[in-house]
Amino acid sequence: MKFLLLLLLALIASACGFKKYVYFISIGYGAAIALIGAGLLVIFRGGLTIGTMLQSILFIAYGVRLAGYITFREVKTSYNRRMKGEIKSGKEISLAGKLGIWVSASILYVLETSPVLFRLMNESGTDTLCIIGFCISLAGLVLESTADLQKNAAKKVNPGRFVDTGLFRLVRCPNYFGEMTFWTGVFVSGVSIYQSPLQWVAAILGYAGIIYVMFGGARRLEIRQDKNYGADPEYQKYKAKTPIMIPFIPLYSVKEHKWLVA
């Protein structure tokens, strides 16, 4: 029942995608995670521990930051003009298709946050892995936020150039790396408390799902950057020596992995 309540919150928050298709997985994504965090605080208000309260608040901070950043980018910058033709408008997608992505995305959002839900449902308290997971997630949020700020600053100085400063010196998609770090922390936090195969499956599906989405996003970004900067020798040198997703892991391209469609 509590899973369904959180799913309802995710559906409500991500329904903005019916206005613009991409909002299902952008503004709606952030709003859904924030609302799930708030829902956990309310639903389990009598059984919260320090660890689960901090994790729920972190969901709110994560979601508000993401939804706010994307909204600001759409309203206050030239992002929409630059991305015209790159992002689906949604006009060619049927109502059934939109319903499918709405429901499936909302289920993924609940699965991603399920380790905290299961900790609360199982009355598992705050253990070492809960604190370790929270710290990993907090580091991921800081990484992701810093990468977005550095990219914005670099684009203001030179809008037509790829970004290779700050965290982008270490990895080409530091914001995606930060996102993966965030959800790695959430998954790690629940490893010690799952009480059934179903809980394990839900947590693993949520974690695997967001990792897949992040690599799919990296593939789209690589294709777009190759199109925009491919003739630039500096970009080719940067791409050849800088990992695409994880610092110091020599994976430099995912463009040819067509199964990464997300």
Side-chain angles (χ1 to χ4, degrees), residues 135-158:
C135 292
I136 293 172
S137 293
L138 182 60
L141 180 58
V142 171
L143 281 170
E144 187 174 5
S145 302
T146 302
D148 286 338
L149 289 172
Q150 289 178 342
K151 184 174 183 178
N152 282 346
K155 285 296 184 181
K156 285 181 180 179
V157 174
N158 194 342

Side-chain angles (χ1 to χ4, degrees), residues 22 77 106 109 126 171 185 188-189 201 237:
V22 72
T77 73
S106 296
Y109 303 154
T126 299
V171 62
V188 166
S189 75
V201 168
K237 182 179 178 181

Side-chain angles (χ1 to χ4, degrees), residues 74-222:
E74 293 233 340
V75 173
K76 295 293 184 179
T77 73
S78 60
Y79 180 80
N80 279 331
R81 292 193 299 272
R82 288 189 286 109
M83 294 300 291
K84 189 174 182 180
E86 301 285 349
I87 297 178
K88 292 181 180 180
S89 66
K91 293 180 179 179
E92 73 283 4
I93 300 172
S94 67
L95 177 59
K98 291 179 180 180
L99 287 170
I101 187 63
W102 178 46
V103 173
S104 59
S106 296
I107 291 173
L108 175 61
Y109 303 154
V110 181
L111 291 176
E112 288 176 52
T113 58
S114 65
V116 181
L117 169 64
F118 296 146
R119 179 175 290 277
L120 286 163
M121 288 175 58
N122 298 343
E123 298 180 351
S124 299
T126 299
D127 58 16
T128 302
L129 278 181
C130 179
I131 298 302
I132 291 174
F134 171 79
C135 292
I136 293 172
S137 293
L138 182 60
L141 180 58
V142 171
L143 281 170
E144 187 174 5
S145 302
T146 302
D148 286 338
L149 289 172
Q150 289 178 342
K151 184 174 183 178
N152 282 346
K155 285 296 184 181
K156 285 181 180 179
V157 174
N158 194 342
R161 189 180 189 279
F162 63 95
V163 180
D164 60 348
T165 55
L167 292 173
F168 291 83
R169 291 181 182 274
L170 299 176
V171 62
R172 302 211 308 277
C173 299
N175 48 347
Y176 292 166
F177 174 64
E179 173 113 357
M180 292 193 300
T181 301
F182 182 91
W183 292 111
T184 296
V186 174
F187 179 74
V188 166
S189 75
V191 167
S192 61
I193 56 88
Y194 303 129
Q195 294 184 357
S196 70
L198 186 59
Q199 290 186 356
W200 273 104
V201 168
I204 291 171
L205 284 176
Y207 181 58
I210 190 59
I211 297 301
Y212 175 84
V213 168
M214 288 299 99
F215 272 89
R219 179 177 180 268
R220 289 196 305 273
L221 179 62
E222 182 182 0

